Amino acid sequence: MAVERTLSIIKPGAVARNLIGKIITRFEEEGLRIIAVRMIHLTEAQAKSFYAVHRERPFFGELVAYMMESPILALVLEGENAIARNRELMGATDPSKAMPGTIRGDFAVSVTRNTVHGSDSTETAAAEIAFFFSQADLFPRAS
Ligand code: CMP
């Protein structure tokens, strides 16, 4: 298995509800390494650009409005098979389908207000990490 990097976003509602620590603890207890962190309040242009793949979907406007509601925390997670492991930790996109014990199962409010985002492939992870971070922002660590 390869060491991978993936982008995680702790979304506005979760930051506003003081859930940063609880969510980061899940990553660390799983053994994923946090190698970069950035708090940012997305502009409309940034939110639209980040989620451009969804621009034709009926929920796009609601998604963009939510993502610019208040600051987010963007993180880069590193570890063996990090992309899939992070998605397992997150649980299903729709919290009504997310298992208890997953981040969304435990904290998400709705499909839009679903607490966290995580990259879904190596290609997406590379693009999403580059959206928020330069190489100099990353601090790889020996496991
Ligand atoms: P995320 O993993 O950040 O990726 C895209 C986001 O779009 C997703 O989480 C949800 O917040 C949102 N989303 C996906 N499907 C729907 C839907 N059917 N209705 C509303 N929002 C959705």
Side-chain angles (χ1 to χ4, degrees), residues 84-125:
R85 283 166 69 201
N86 180 42
R87 290 181 71 80
E88 278 171 31
L89 285 177
M90 289 194 301
T93 303
D94 179 348
S96 70
K97 299 184 180 125
M99 299 290 286
T102 64
I103 296 169
R104 286 166 170 163
D106 292 349
F107 301 125
V109 173
S110 67
V111 184
T112 300
R113 307 181 78 85
N114 68 350
T115 318
V116 282
H117 167 83
S119 308
D120 63 4
S121 69
T122 48
E123 295 75 20
T124 310

Side-chain angles (χ1 to χ4, degrees), residues 59-79:
F59 57 80
F60 185 63
E62 190 183 344
L63 174 61
V64 166
Y66 174 53
M67 292 304 292
M68 45 186 288
E69 191 175 280
S70 56
I72 62 164
L73 201 75
L75 309 98
V76 180
L77 306 176
E78 184 180 75

Side-chain angles (χ1 to χ4, degrees), residues 37 49 82:
V37 182
S49 171

Side-chain angles (χ1 to χ4, degrees), residues 21-79:
K22 285 194 172 75
I23 293 170
I24 283 180
T25 297
R26 306 245 175 150
F27 300 145
E28 292 191 331
E29 287 183 344
E30 169 64 18
L32 295 171
R33 303 272 185 179
I34 296 165
I35 64 163
V37 182
R38 181 178 172 200
M39 185 175 264
I40 176 172
H41 194 156
L42 293 176
T43 63
E44 183 175 2
Q46 286 171 320
K48 283 182 170 168
S49 171
F50 183 80
Y51 279 120
V53 67
H54 296 301
R55 64 186 172 278
E56 305 299 339
R57 309 288 290 274
F59 57 80
F60 185 63
E62 190 183 344
L63 174 61
V64 166
Y66 174 53
M67 292 304 292
M68 45 186 288
E69 191 175 280
S70 56
I72 62 164
L73 201 75
L75 309 98
V76 180
L77 306 176
E78 184 180 75

